[in-house]
Amino acid sequence: MKPKHIKFSKLIEISTREKNRKKRIVLCHGVFDLLHIGHIKYLQEAKSLGDVLLVTITPDRFVNKGPGRPAFNEKHRAEAIAALDVVDYVSINDWPTAIETIKTLKPNLYVKGPDYKDYKEDVTGNIQLEEDAVKSIGGKIAFTSDIT
């Protein structure tokens, strides 16, 4: 069985290789601290939109969800995501947001949950910047529709 939790440098290689094979690359990004059914449905719907599902995790040093968070460190969060059959590869990115990750991996599609669809309600303030990044590399953004 192929390892799914990999270094970011290896994720770059895989993304490039699979795009060269004409595979549709889907990228999801987040903290994924306390994995729940909303995360699972989000990742399942995202995978249905392409061929290869890449998931990147926000590093511990950039998680800002309050005292004692993240509850699980980045390695454990990545292991939890990697345990899901729907996920092809998972890695911890090097930045506080997905912007540089998008520009580096160049996915065909960047997918966020429905809670990010209304940009005015985006608590991170980053979704517009992430959309700009994905459009700058010729990709598209999509939003899932199931529960969060």
Side-chain angles (χ1 to χ4, degrees):
M1 182 165 28
K2 67 182 178 187
K4 290 169 59 170
H5 177 196
I6 58 176
K7 292 185 178 193
F8 191 76
S9 58
K10 184 72 174 167
L11 195 64
I12 297 167
E13 292 174 24
I14 289 168
S15 181
T16 302
R17 180 189 72 218
E18 294 300 322
K19 278 190 85 172
N20 287 340
R21 292 179 176 166
K22 305 297 184 212
K23 299 288 184 181
R24 187 166 169 85
I25 306 299
V26 178
L27 173 65
C28 291
H29 174 83
V31 174
F32 302 104
D33 189 14
L34 299 169
L35 192 60
H36 56 75
I37 191 65
H39 290 128
I40 294 167
K41 288 188 173 294
Y42 158 64
L43 295 169
Q44 288 172 331
E45 191 173 340
K47 173 66 178 206
S48 75
L49 301 172
D51 301 307
V52 180
L53 178 59
L54 310 180
V55 179
T56 53
I57 307 279
T58 302
D60 291 346
R61 67 187 180 275
F62 298 122
V63 175
N64 185 18
K65 290 192 173 261
R69 298 289 298 276
F72 296 97
N73 69 40
E74 60 197 38
K75 182 178 181 286
H76 289 135
R77 292 183 284 127
E79 287 175 9
I81 295 295
L84 301 172
D85 288 341
V86 70
V87 174
D88 293 299
Y89 298 98
V90 62
S91 188
I92 300 161
N93 78 328
D94 295 323
W95 305 278
T97 71
I99 297 164
E100 289 302 320
T101 303
I102 292 165
K103 291 179 181 178
T104 304
L105 295 177
K106 298 176 177 55
N108 300 96
L109 195 61
Y110 179 61
V111 180
K112 294 298 283 183
D115 45 332
Y116 290 92
K117 196 169 190 171
D118 184 349
Y119 291 15
K120 289 176 260 165
E121 294 190 22
D122 171 23
V123 296
T124 68
N126 289 317
I127 195 66
Q128 183 64 61
L129 299 172
E130 291 170 351
E131 180 177 18
D132 293 346
V134 79
K135 284 181 177 179
S136 78
I137 54 94
K140 294 181 180 175
I141 191 167
F143 298 92
T144 58
S145 58
D146 213 327
I147 62 171
T148 58

